[in-house]
Amino acid sequence: MTYITSTQERHIDIVDIPSLEKLVQANMAKGAFGYLAGAAEDELVLKANPLAFNHKHIVPRVLQDIQDPDLTTEFLGLKLSSPIIGVPIAAHGLVHEKAELATAQGVAKAGTIFSLSTYGNATVDEVAAVAPDSPKFFQLYMSKDDDFNRWILDKAIKGGYKAIILTADSTLGGYRESDIINNFTFPNVMRNLEEWSKLSTDSENGAGEGIAAIYAKAKQALSLRDITFIKDYTHLPVFVKGIQSAHDVEPLINAGVDGIWVSNHGGRQLDAGPASFDVLADIAKAVNKRVPIIFDSGVRRGQHVFKALANGADIVGIGRPMLWGLNLGGSQGVTDVFEHFKKELRINMQLAGAHTIAEVKETKLIDA
Amino acid sequence: MTYITSTQERHIDIVDIPSLEKLVQANMAKGAFGYLAGAAEDELVLKANPLAFNHKHIVPRVLQDIQDPDLTTEFLGLKLSSPIIGVPIAAHGLVHEKAELATAQGVAKAGTIFSLSTYGNATVDEVAAVAPDSPKFFQLYMSKDDDFNRWILDKAIKGGYKAIILTADSTLGGYRESDIINNFTFPNVMRNLEEWSKLSTDSENGAGEGIAAIYAKAKQALSLRDITFIKDYTHLPVFVKGIQSAHDVEPLINAGVDGIWVSNHGGRQLDAGPASFDVLADIAKAVNKRVPIIFDSGVRRGQHVFKALANGADIVGIGRPMLWGLNLGGSQGVTDVFEHFKKELRINMQLAGAHTIAEVKETKLIDA
Amino acid sequence: MTYITSTQERHIDIVDIPSLEKLVQANMAKGAFGYLAGAAEDELVLKANPLAFNHKHIVPRVLQDIQDPDLTTEFLGLKLSSPIIGVPIAAHGLVHEKAELATAQGVAKAGTIFSLSTYGNATVDEVAAVAPDSPKFFQLYMSKDDDFNRWILDKAIKGGYKAIILTADSTLGGYRESDIINNFTFPNVMRNLEEWSKLSTDSENGAGEGIAAIYAKAKQALSLRDITFIKDYTHLPVFVKGIQSAHDVEPLINAGVDGIWVSNHGGRQLDAGPASFDVLADIAKAVNKRVPIIFDSGVRRGQHVFKALANGADIVGIGRPMLWGLNLGGSQGVTDVFEHFKKELRINMQLAGAHTIAEVKETKLIDA
Amino acid sequence: MTYITSTQERHIDIVDIPSLEKLVQANMAKGAFGYLAGAAEDELVLKANPLAFNHKHIVPRVLQDIQDPDLTTEFLGLKLSSPIIGVPIAAHGLVHEKAELATAQGVAKAGTIFSLSTYGNATVDEVAAVAPDSPKFFQLYMSKDDDFNRWILDKAIKGGYKAIILTADSTLGGYRESDIINNFTFPNVMRNLEEWSKLSTDSENGAGEGIAAIYAKAKQALSLRDITFIKDYTHLPVFVKGIQSAHDVEPLINAGVDGIWVSNHGGRQLDAGPASFDVLADIAKAVNKRVPIIFDSGVRRGQHVFKALANGADIVGIGRPMLWGLNLGGSQGVTDVFEHFKKELRINMQLAGAHTIAEVKETKLIDA
């Protein structure tokens, strides 16, 4: 059976992200949509993530002499059209036949950073080839086999990726019931795994496999030593993604981490924990500007980006919304989603009284 | 296509404002109703505004020797039948063919203040002509063109308007999804703009235009200097409308503002902020009786008026409810809405143990 | 048109009070049910009253050597089968043809106190005649005419009523929308008013009248002097009913009140205030055992009685549930409702570890 | 009429416990399901119990070098596959023809503790015979007749039961409305009662009886002396089950209790009290590790087990979920339910960063 996915390439009209998600749901196979839209256990965190932004209010300041606020920002020396970037997600082929190649191009056109997952449906080289001049991060799911790790990190260096994201919150899959109910398996090959399998004796390539099997090959016993390994090998900045505890900050900084990525994986992992936005301020306080903070999980509105920045983030990632754009409009749909977030953020900045992203970051939110 | 609107002029029976709104919804074109009843983004603030009054309780005092409590009050030296006034709203022609002319007459009959918007479907002169002896305020959306500003302020002075309201929270339109979904444009000419367009080279007049186009002509980069400009030019009291932050109070008073108008524009602008009632007490504390406080946003019950006064407001505005009365009963419907609010306020005063508006203002609310 | 009401006299099976109310609703005319079950404005207080008991928890104590806890108590020297009494309610004829005569008999059989309203459908004398040996209170809606007040108080004294309840929270009717929607008028004569009208020149008798008309004859400008008037005239204990503010306590005690009746009239009056249970503890603290505290509003479970006693009440009233019993089973139905509350209270006492009502009162609740 | 129950013996697929309960509901007689799934009064505590775990969050720690966390633990010197045990429940015959015999075997296979109720549908001897080598507790509903108490305790000693559970929160039945509505009586004999009835003159055996009748024979006036009685007679550890108040701890420890069993009987008794999880931390503080703490009520997820352990429990019981497994799959279904909880707990430990149950217990939860 061939999995049918979108082949669209067009401009899409966006009213808001929730209505976009409904259009995608009607457009996709149940199992694949369930894998992407679903989350762990009771999906408490999935629901809590976007609602948590309502725990704080922006109190607008008037008569601030603002017109056309400036959304541009700089991160790691990269000039970006806005502080909104794309987070790493596995298997974009679930939503569009061009997979990460289209996403990378759409994000590039939006003037911001694309993050490629180890478990993508395009290789590190392929993505580098289609978006050579725009900023890219590479997300590493470490393997138990260091030969694999070195092989793929070599590609990231060669491809000009600007940083390595070590995902720390997914050493095994969260208990996602929709995948069990739908008996979900990946219909597309994970191209990096496939390429490696041709080089190695391991014949598995990540297609037709369940989530558990994919995770089985990954390294579960991650430790601070893995930061050192990656940094020593690549000499690239390393971000650790999936931080929810301020107590993790000091050990990570001591281990040399170059960025703290606050995330709960969009609610897909531990469902017993807090909403991502609810822990951001405490973590930012612990970090105290020693390294930059990247934030994701639950961002569905321009106001969410504003609040995350005001609460300590330097840059804010979107995940599922980017894929909904990919499904409905290919690379142009991806660009459209970023432009939609920018439009909402621009209105919120104008109405809140913030001329620049620096001023957004200095805004004091009040408790709701 | 001609937009069909109400031509009713009659007494209306009112049970409560929410049920009135439902009758209006059945009576109006979807786009126009969506424009008036709708609000920004997820409409969180729209929903939060009336519910916020439940955050505080009136604790009734018994055996206070009260019969027929006195609702009259004085504001800016104007004697009013109650502390409930009409807020400025654009384009009353959306709900009734007589537009602001009928509203102004209905408000006059109710013995209180009418506020005319720059973007009305009647001119400053026309409104002054139909309600010459009753108190009126003029709300200014400043233009980028000071010739326009001076021209329309001249009319307000000549028309005997008692104060100028500078709306500060709408330097561009909130992200209102119903207007996008309904592809809403104003069906009626904005008469002040039309009149000006005949005098100037600009041929646009505000009919058939989208919200964004209307806002495009307005001045976005408002600043404290604009207060000075209006005061110097008109020698009338100037209120700044749309205040939500106590931090705005000191700069405004230093700039010479004559009244602080606490409002979030009925939830139509920034959806990331607090309910209007929730910020009132803090702002009143910052103002400390140096200038009067006008309050609106979410007032749907007599008890809301009571609570706003007890929390620091000197006078309380209603907006949408006034237009629902206009739609269903013309000028008489407008009067009926004000009388309904007064009936509820009178019952609440009697049962709470407050003889006068002064006593209402001295009432201590408790946290719910 | 004759209003058709219940003529039932039988034992009723009760699962719980909410399900009883649903049976009654199916059994009654819409207007009359709306008058009794409904409340003021948005009915916020009606809904909040029973839910407020969930704001505190009973924390059960184990191994307390309890079997068959003792529910009896004493109040004003009256021996009662339980601390649960009947509150005064107007017009029992709305639910049963025997009206207050059946209710009084049912309450007497339950071994507790019946409270007769001035606006009953039976006279002070008639109720005294059918329940001569059981404890009764008389609730006074004072008239503007002191001749009426003296005339009816004479009857209360003569009928052996043990105390006078001065209702202070109803100097005019709350804004009850169901009565407006149903255009409700009382179908039965208010017998005390009728009797007085035959003696006086006033021909009105309270039948066929709207709520507003009934209240119009009542004294609105109640004051502390009215306590003195009643005490001096009757030499009976006087309770003031409708207290929600601890600030009312000191003036009332100084004025000689013999009991503080905490109540918000079942949500029928001021809808802007707190739930009755939520203010009880503060009032009890202010009273500091100088006079007894009677509590009502929202009591629907035995656990509510327990919690009210533990929070400072000496005795607890039920209102609507008593009338539901009257409607479905006449005097026996009334008795059954009291027995049902006693059954639930007994189970709660056993499981909580309280042997007696005195121990219930000493129980410390914890915040939920 | 013969009550038809399940005869299934098979492996069952479990997505989660709530969906399992729905399958059982479709499979069972209404009255029996209502008895097991239902609870007291408004079922507030039933609903609050599982939701209370959301009042605290696990904040995951990353890069902890974990793979395959260890769920084994020791309790009373018993080696267990996990800290999840079976709680005592009456009348397993309601869900499966093999009743407690199948449950005991399924729990034994899961490598953990089975608790037999006095009111089981299998005798103390029978259960001991089918699960001779696995750990078992015996739960005592004391009778008013000490001959019965001694007779059944003799059997527990002889059967090798490791501890006696004295249930203290059920000296009479909670007010369970579903049993009243369904007119529920037990369809199966309570085998211990039957056996005793053959030895004694009392012919009742617990079949065809209502809840009230069963409880009528039990001792209501339980006291601390009963702990002494059981300890002196059996020389076995005695746990008191049904503790919700930290104030109960000191008397119980002084009386020689060997374990505090925090429980609200799954919401089946006092509905006026707190959720079980919400009182656990305070009780654990009062106990201060002097005796072990057993916890139950509302456990439906592996994360609930984690949170209970982190909040002070040494061991965590499941009740209804175990019976749902019994109904759908017999002894294998029981084992499957325990394995499901272990799977979820294992994932939560891995993702939270806890290698062992000891580390779980040391985890600090944060307030939600």
Side-chain angles (χ1 to χ4, degrees):
Chain A
M1 184 203 76
T2 311
Y3 175 78
I4 307 298
T5 189
S6 169
T7 59
Q8 300 269 17
E9 179 61 39
R10 54 163 189 169
H11 170 75
I12 58 173
D13 289 323
I14 301 174
V15 175
D16 57 26
I17 301 302
S19 60
L20 206 66
E21 180 166 326
K22 282 185 196 139
L23 294 175
V24 171
Q25 184 166 21
N27 211 30
M28 274 183 74
K30 193 183 174 195
F33 181 79
Y35 170 72
L36 290 169
E41 302 188 14
D42 291 310
E43 301 191 335
L44 298 173
V45 171
L46 176 73
K47 293 165 204 153
N49 273 338
L51 294 175
F53 296 101
N54 302 337
H55 296 170
K56 302 250 185 187
H57 287 313
I58 305 168
V59 187
R61 301 295 304 273
V62 299
L63 307 183
Q64 299 295 307
D65 203 354
I66 301 184
Q67 181 163 355
D68 297 331
D70 178 7
L71 275 72
T72 64
T73 192
E74 211 176 291
F75 186 76
L76 288 188
L78 304 163
K79 291 190 191 295
L80 307 178
S81 69
S82 88
I84 308 163
I85 70 165
V87 307
I89 303 180
H92 294 205
L94 289 172
V95 295
H96 197 280
E97 61 165 0
K98 297 229 171 116
E100 285 77 5
L101 302 184
T103 320
Q105 288 175 308
V107 175
K109 192 169 165 196
T112 189
I113 299 165
F114 175 74
S115 303
L116 176 66
S117 167
T118 299
Y119 297 157
N121 296 129
T123 66
V124 175
D125 304 336
E126 288 165 348
V127 167
V130 298
D133 302 318
S134 64
K136 291 171 296 295
F137 293 162
F138 175 66
Q139 179 268 0
L140 177 65
Y141 276 120
M142 288 196 89
S143 170
K144 289 165 180 162
D145 178 356
D146 273 340
D147 287 343
F148 171 85
N149 296 328
R150 278 185 285 259
W151 171 80
I152 202 162
L153 288 171
D154 281 339
K155 288 181 173 290
I157 297 164
K158 186 179 151 212
Y161 291 77
K162 300 296 185 188
I164 306 298
I165 305 162
L166 176 64
T167 297
D169 62 6
S170 307
T171 59
L172 89 180
Y175 186 66
R176 300 180 203 153
E177 300 189 357
S178 55
D179 293 343
I180 295 167
I181 292 166
N182 298 326
N183 200 20
F184 176 71
T185 57
F186 288 108
N188 308 112
V189 296
M190 293 177 170
R191 294 270 292 132
N192 289 308
L193 305 192
E194 179 190 47
E195 202 170 45
W196 174 249
S197 74
K198 289 176 182 167
L199 299 174
S200 68
T201 55
D202 181 351
S203 63
E204 295 168 275
N205 59 20
E209 293 191 79
I211 317 298
I214 298 292
Y215 276 104
K217 295 176 197 163
K219 184 176 184 178
Q220 292 185 30
L222 292 179
S223 72
L224 294 167
R225 292 183 301 277
D226 296 305
I227 299 172
T228 313
F229 172 88
I230 302 168
K231 282 180 69 88
D232 287 353
Y233 192 76
T234 65
H235 301 289
L236 284 171
V238 172
F239 307 145
V240 176
K241 178 167 175 283
I243 306 306
Q244 297 186 52
S245 172
H247 296 291
D248 274 337
V249 168
E250 215 58 38
L252 286 168
I253 289 181
N254 290 339
V257 83
D258 298 286
I260 298 284
W261 194 310
V262 175
S263 169
N264 56 30
H265 218 111
R268 302 168 70 80
Q269 294 297 103
L270 188 77
D271 200 39
S276 191
F277 181 71
D278 284 338
V279 299
L280 174 57
D282 271 0
I283 294 174
K285 196 176 164 194
V287 170
N288 197 19
K289 301 187 191 296
R290 289 177 288 175
V291 294
I293 294 176
I294 308 98
F295 174 85
D296 74 39
S297 294
V299 176
R300 300 289 179 272
R301 286 274 181 201
Q303 66 157 277
H304 300 169
V305 176
F306 189 115
K307 288 174 173 176
L309 295 171
N311 238 19
D314 292 290
I315 212 143
V316 175
I318 57 171
R320 291 179 183 99
M322 177 174 68
L323 291 200
W324 306 155
L326 178 62
N327 180 256
L328 296 171
S331 72
Q332 182 59 47
V334 169
T335 307
D336 291 341
V337 164
F338 279 88
E339 294 305 326
H340 175 77
F341 271 96
K342 283 159 73 175
K343 178 170 65 182
E344 284 195 13
L345 176 58
R346 188 176 295 115
I347 293 171
N348 274 266
M349 287 173 67
Q350 172 78 24
L351 296 178
H355 299 74
T356 62
I357 296 302
E359 283 189 17
V360 171
K361 287 189 189 180
E362 286 158 17
T363 302
K364 294 233 180 303
L365 305 180
I366 62 163
D367 289 338
Chain B
M1 185 204 74
T2 309
Y3 174 78
I4 307 298
T5 188
S6 169
T7 59
Q8 300 268 16
E9 178 60 40
R10 53 163 189 169
H11 170 75
I12 58 173
D13 288 323
I14 302 173
V15 175
D16 57 25
I17 301 302
S19 62
L20 206 66
E21 180 166 326
K22 282 185 194 138
L23 294 175
V24 171
Q25 184 166 20
N27 212 28
M28 274 184 72
K30 193 183 174 195
F33 182 79
Y35 170 72
L36 291 169
E41 303 188 14
D42 291 310
E43 300 191 336
L44 298 173
V45 171
L46 176 73
K47 292 164 205 153
N49 273 337
L51 293 175
F53 296 101
N54 302 337
H55 296 170
K56 302 251 183 187
H57 287 314
I58 305 168
V59 187
R61 301 295 303 273
V62 299
L63 306 183
Q64 298 295 308
D65 203 355
I66 301 184
Q67 182 164 353
D68 296 331
D70 179 6
L71 275 71
T72 63
T73 193
E74 212 177 289
F75 186 76
L76 288 188
L78 304 164
K79 289 190 193 293
L80 307 178
S81 69
S82 88
I84 308 164
I85 71 166
V87 306
I89 303 181
H92 293 205
L94 289 173
V95 294
H96 197 281
E97 61 165 0
K98 297 231 170 114
E100 285 77 6
L101 301 184
T103 320
Q105 287 175 308
V107 174
K109 193 169 164 195
T112 189
I113 298 164
F114 175 75
S115 303
L116 177 66
S117 166
T118 299
Y119 297 157
N121 296 129
T123 66
V124 176
D125 304 337
E126 288 165 347
V127 166
V130 298
D133 303 319
S134 65
K136 292 170 295 297
F137 292 162
F138 175 66
Q139 179 267 2
L140 178 65
Y141 276 120
M142 289 195 89
S143 171
K144 289 165 180 162
D145 179 356
D146 272 340
D147 287 342
F148 172 84
N149 296 328
R150 277 185 286 260
W151 170 80
I152 202 160
L153 287 172
D154 282 338
K155 289 181 174 288
I157 296 165
K158 185 179 153 212
Y161 290 77
K162 301 296 184 188
I164 306 299
I165 305 161
L166 176 65
T167 297
D169 61 5
S170 307
T171 58
L172 88 178
Y175 186 66
R176 300 180 203 152
E177 300 189 357
S178 54
D179 294 342
I180 296 166
I181 293 166
N182 298 326
N183 199 21
F184 176 71
T185 56
F186 288 109
N188 308 112
V189 296
M190 292 177 169
R191 293 271 292 132
N192 289 308
L193 305 193
E194 180 189 46
E195 203 170 42
W196 173 252
S197 74
K198 289 176 183 167
L199 298 175
S200 68
T201 55
D202 181 352
S203 63
E204 294 168 277
N205 59 18
E209 294 191 76
I211 317 298
I214 297 292
Y215 276 105
K217 296 175 196 164
K219 184 174 184 178
Q220 291 185 30
L222 292 179
S223 73
L224 294 167
R225 294 183 301 276
D226 296 304
I227 298 172
T228 314
F229 172 87
I230 302 168
K231 281 180 70 87
D232 287 354
Y233 191 77
T234 64
H235 301 290
L236 284 170
V238 172
F239 306 146
V240 176
K241 178 167 177 284
I243 306 306
Q244 296 186 55
S245 172
H247 296 292
D248 274 338
V249 168
E250 215 57 37
L252 286 168
I253 289 181
N254 291 339
V257 83
D258 298 285
I260 298 284
W261 194 311
V262 175
S263 170
N264 55 30
H265 220 111
R268 301 168 71 80
Q269 294 297 104
L270 188 77
D271 200 39
S276 191
F277 181 71
D278 284 340
V279 298
L280 174 57
D282 271 0
I283 293 173
K285 198 176 163 192
V287 170
N288 197 19
K289 300 186 191 297
R290 289 177 289 174
V291 295
I293 293 176
I294 309 99
F295 174 84
D296 74 40
S297 294
V299 176
R300 300 289 179 271
R301 287 274 181 201
Q303 66 157 279
H304 299 168
V305 177
F306 189 116
K307 287 173 174 176
L309 295 171
N311 239 19
D314 292 289
I315 211 142
V316 176
I318 56 171
R320 292 180 182 99
M322 179 174 66
L323 291 200
W324 306 155
L326 178 63
N327 179 257
L328 295 172
S331 72
Q332 182 59 47
V334 168
T335 307
D336 291 340
V337 164
F338 279 88
E339 294 304 327
H340 175 78
F341 272 96
K342 284 158 72 176
K343 178 170 67 181
E344 284 195 14
L345 177 57
R346 188 177 295 115
I347 293 171
N348 274 267
M349 287 173 68
Q350 172 77 23
L351 295 178
H355 298 76
T356 61
I357 296 302
E359 283 188 18
V360 171
K361 288 188 186 179
E362 286 157 16
T363 302
K364 294 232 179 306
L365 305 180
I366 61 163
D367 289 338
Chain C
M1 184 203 77
T2 309
Y3 175 78
I4 307 299
T5 188
S6 169
T7 60
Q8 300 267 17
E9 178 61 40
R10 53 163 190 169
H11 171 75
I12 58 173
D13 288 323
I14 301 173
V15 175
D16 56 26
I17 301 302
S19 60
L20 207 65
E21 180 166 324
K22 282 184 194 139
L23 294 174
V24 171
Q25 182 166 21
N27 211 29
M28 275 184 73
K30 193 183 174 194
F33 182 80
Y35 170 72
L36 291 169
E41 302 187 14
D42 291 311
E43 301 192 335
L44 298 172
V45 171
L46 176 73
K47 292 164 205 151
N49 274 337
L51 294 175
F53 296 102
N54 301 339
H55 297 169
K56 301 252 184 187
H57 287 313
I58 305 170
V59 187
R61 302 294 303 273
V62 300
L63 306 182
Q64 298 294 308
D65 203 355
I66 300 184
Q67 182 164 354
D68 296 330
D70 179 7
L71 275 70
T72 64
T73 193
E74 213 177 288
F75 186 77
L76 288 188
L78 304 163
K79 289 190 192 296
L80 307 178
S81 69
S82 88
I84 308 164
I85 71 166
V87 306
I89 304 181
H92 294 205
L94 290 172
V95 295
H96 198 280
E97 60 165 0
K98 297 230 172 116
E100 284 78 6
L101 302 184
T103 321
Q105 287 175 309
V107 174
K109 193 170 165 195
T112 190
I113 299 164
F114 175 74
S115 304
L116 177 65
S117 167
T118 298
Y119 297 157
N121 296 128
T123 67
V124 175
D125 303 337
E126 288 166 346
V127 166
V130 299
D133 303 320
S134 64
K136 292 171 295 295
F137 293 162
F138 175 66
Q139 180 267 3
L140 179 64
Y141 276 120
M142 289 194 89
S143 170
K144 289 166 180 159
D145 178 355
D146 271 342
D147 287 343
F148 171 84
N149 295 329
R150 277 185 286 261
W151 171 79
I152 203 162
L153 288 172
D154 281 339
K155 288 180 173 290
I157 296 163
K158 186 179 151 212
Y161 290 78
K162 301 297 185 188
I164 306 299
I165 305 161
L166 176 63
T167 297
D169 61 4
S170 307
T171 59
L172 88 177
Y175 186 67
R176 299 180 204 152
E177 301 189 356
S178 54
D179 294 342
I180 295 167
I181 293 165
N182 297 326
N183 199 21
F184 176 70
T185 58
F186 287 108
N188 308 112
V189 295
M190 292 178 171
R191 293 271 292 131
N192 288 309
L193 305 192
E194 180 189 44
E195 204 170 42
W196 174 252
S197 74
K198 289 177 183 167
L199 297 174
S200 70
T201 55
D202 182 351
S203 64
E204 294 169 275
N205 60 18
E209 296 191 77
I211 317 298
I214 298 292
Y215 275 106
K217 295 177 198 164
K219 183 174 183 177
Q220 292 185 29
L222 292 179
S223 74
L224 294 168
R225 293 183 301 277
D226 296 305
I227 299 172
T228 313
F229 172 87
I230 303 168
K231 282 180 70 88
D232 286 353
Y233 191 76
T234 65
H235 301 291
L236 284 171
V238 172
F239 307 145
V240 177
K241 178 168 176 284
I243 307 307
Q244 297 187 55
S245 172
H247 296 291
D248 274 337
V249 168
E250 215 58 35
L252 286 168
I253 288 181
N254 291 339
V257 83
D258 298 286
I260 298 284
W261 194 310
V262 176
S263 170
N264 55 30
H265 219 110
R268 302 168 70 79
Q269 295 296 105
L270 188 77
D271 200 39
S276 191
F277 180 72
D278 284 339
V279 298
L280 174 57
D282 271 359
I283 293 174
K285 198 177 163 192
V287 169
N288 197 19
K289 298 186 191 298
R290 289 177 289 174
V291 295
I293 293 176
I294 309 100
F295 174 85
D296 75 38
S297 294
V299 176
R300 300 289 179 270
R301 286 275 180 199
Q303 65 157 280
H304 300 169
V305 177
F306 188 115
K307 288 174 173 174
L309 295 170
N311 239 21
D314 292 289
I315 211 141
V316 176
I318 57 171
R320 292 181 182 97
M322 179 175 67
L323 290 200
W324 306 156
L326 178 63
N327 178 257
L328 296 171
S331 73
Q332 182 59 46
V334 169
T335 307
D336 291 341
V337 164
F338 279 88
E339 294 305 327
H340 175 78
F341 272 95
K342 284 158 71 175
K343 179 170 66 182
E344 284 194 15
L345 176 57
R346 187 177 296 115
I347 293 171
N348 274 266
M349 287 173 68
Q350 173 76 23
L351 296 178
H355 299 75
T356 62
I357 296 301
E359 283 188 18
V360 171
K361 287 189 188 179
E362 287 157 16
T363 302
K364 294 231 179 308
L365 305 179
I366 61 163
D367 290 338
Chain D
M1 184 203 79
T2 310
Y3 175 79
I4 306 299
T5 189
S6 169
T7 59
Q8 300 268 17
E9 178 61 40
R10 54 163 188 167
H11 170 75
I12 57 173
D13 289 322
I14 302 173
V15 175
D16 56 27
I17 301 301
S19 61
L20 206 65
E21 180 167 324
K22 281 183 194 141
L23 294 174
V24 170
Q25 183 165 21
N27 211 30
M28 274 184 74
K30 192 183 175 194
F33 181 79
Y35 170 73
L36 290 169
E41 302 187 15
D42 291 311
E43 302 191 333
L44 298 172
V45 171
L46 177 73
K47 292 165 204 151
N49 273 338
L51 293 175
F53 296 102
N54 301 339
H55 297 170
K56 302 251 184 188
H57 287 313
I58 305 169
V59 187
R61 302 295 303 273
V62 300
L63 306 183
Q64 298 295 308
D65 203 354
I66 300 184
Q67 180 164 356
D68 297 330
D70 178 6
L71 275 70
T72 64
T73 192
E74 211 176 291
F75 186 76
L76 288 188
L78 303 163
K79 290 190 191 295
L80 307 178
S81 69
S82 87
I84 308 164
I85 71 166
V87 306
I89 304 181
H92 294 204
L94 290 172
V95 295
H96 197 279
E97 61 164 1
K98 297 231 171 114
E100 285 78 5
L101 302 184
T103 321
Q105 288 175 309
V107 174
K109 193 169 164 196
T112 188
I113 299 165
F114 175 73
S115 303
L116 177 65
S117 166
T118 299
Y119 297 157
N121 296 129
T123 67
V124 176
D125 304 336
E126 288 165 347
V127 167
V130 299
D133 303 320
S134 64
K136 292 171 295 296
F137 293 161
F138 175 66
Q139 179 267 2
L140 178 64
Y141 276 119
M142 288 195 90
S143 170
K144 289 165 180 160
D145 179 356
D146 272 341
D147 286 344
F148 172 85
N149 296 328
R150 277 185 286 261
W151 170 79
I152 203 162
L153 289 171
D154 281 340
K155 288 180 173 291
I157 296 164
K158 186 179 151 210
Y161 290 77
K162 300 297 184 188
I164 306 298
I165 305 160
L166 177 64
T167 298
D169 61 6
S170 307
T171 59
L172 89 179
Y175 186 67
R176 299 179 203 153
E177 300 189 357
S178 55
D179 294 343
I180 295 167
I181 292 166
N182 297 326
N183 199 21
F184 176 70
T185 58
F186 288 108
N188 309 113
V189 296
M190 292 178 170
R191 293 272 291 133
N192 289 308
L193 304 192
E194 179 189 46
E195 202 170 45
W196 173 251
S197 74
K198 289 176 183 165
L199 298 174
S200 70
T201 55
D202 181 351
S203 63
E204 295 168 276
N205 58 20
E209 295 191 78
I211 317 298
I214 298 292
Y215 276 105
K217 295 176 197 164
K219 185 176 183 177
Q220 293 186 27
L222 292 179
S223 74
L224 293 168
R225 293 183 302 275
D226 295 305
I227 299 172
T228 313
F229 172 88
I230 303 168
K231 282 181 70 90
D232 287 354
Y233 191 77
T234 64
H235 301 290
L236 284 171
V238 173
F239 307 145
V240 177
K241 178 168 175 284
I243 307 306
Q244 298 186 52
S245 172
H247 296 291
D248 273 337
V249 168
E250 214 59 36
L252 286 168
I253 289 181
N254 291 339
V257 83
D258 298 286
I260 298 284
W261 194 310
V262 176
S263 170
N264 56 29
H265 218 111
R268 301 169 69 79
Q269 295 296 103
L270 188 77
D271 200 39
S276 192
F277 181 71
D278 284 338
V279 298
L280 174 56
D282 272 359
I283 293 174
K285 197 176 164 194
V287 169
N288 197 19
K289 300 186 190 298
R290 289 177 288 175
V291 294
I293 293 176
I294 308 99
F295 174 85
D296 75 37
S297 294
V299 176
R300 301 289 179 271
R301 286 275 181 199
Q303 65 157 279
H304 299 169
V305 177
F306 188 115
K307 287 173 174 176
L309 295 170
N311 239 20
D314 293 290
I315 211 141
V316 175
I318 57 171
R320 291 181 183 99
M322 177 174 68
L323 290 201
W324 306 155
L326 178 62
N327 179 256
L328 296 172
S331 72
Q332 182 59 46
V334 169
T335 307
D336 291 339
V337 164
F338 279 88
E339 294 304 328
H340 175 78
F341 272 96
K342 284 158 72 176
K343 179 171 65 182
E344 284 195 13
L345 176 58
R346 188 177 295 114
I347 293 171
N348 274 266
M349 288 173 67
Q350 172 77 25
L351 295 179
H355 298 75
T356 62
I357 297 302
E359 284 189 17
V360 171
K361 288 189 188 179
E362 287 158 16
T363 303
K364 295 233 181 302
L365 305 180
I366 60 163
D367 289 338

